[in-house]
Amino acid sequence: MTMLADDRYACEAFVARLDDAYARAARTPRHARLWTADPPAWWVPTMTVEQRRALTPDQRARFLRYRAS
C-alpha cells in the first residue's frame, strides 16, 4: 500500500485502506502468500553468474534481454 500526497489530508481514509489490505492478506491462505519469499516452482533463477551461464539460448534471450548492453 502506497501513501500518496493527497493521503496526508485524509489520513483516516489511508489507514482504512491499509487496514482493508491487511484484512485481505489475512484471509489469503499462508501458502498462497509465500511466493515472494520462496520463488514458485516454475521460476528460473538468474541471480548468479553460474545460473545465467546454465541458461539455454532461448532462456538467455528472454530472461537477460534487459541486461544486454
Side-chain angles (χ1 to χ4, degrees), residues 1 3-4 8 11 13 17-18 22 32-33 37 39 46 53 60-61 63-66 69:
M1 175 69 56
M3 185 172 190
L4 304 174
R8 66 184 164 159
C11 288
R17 289 196 320 271
L18 188 60
Y22 278 122
R33 290 185 274 139
T46 60
R53 287 181 179 160
R60 191 174 298 213
F63 301 152
L64 305 179
R65 69 176 168 243
Y66 296 114
S69 40

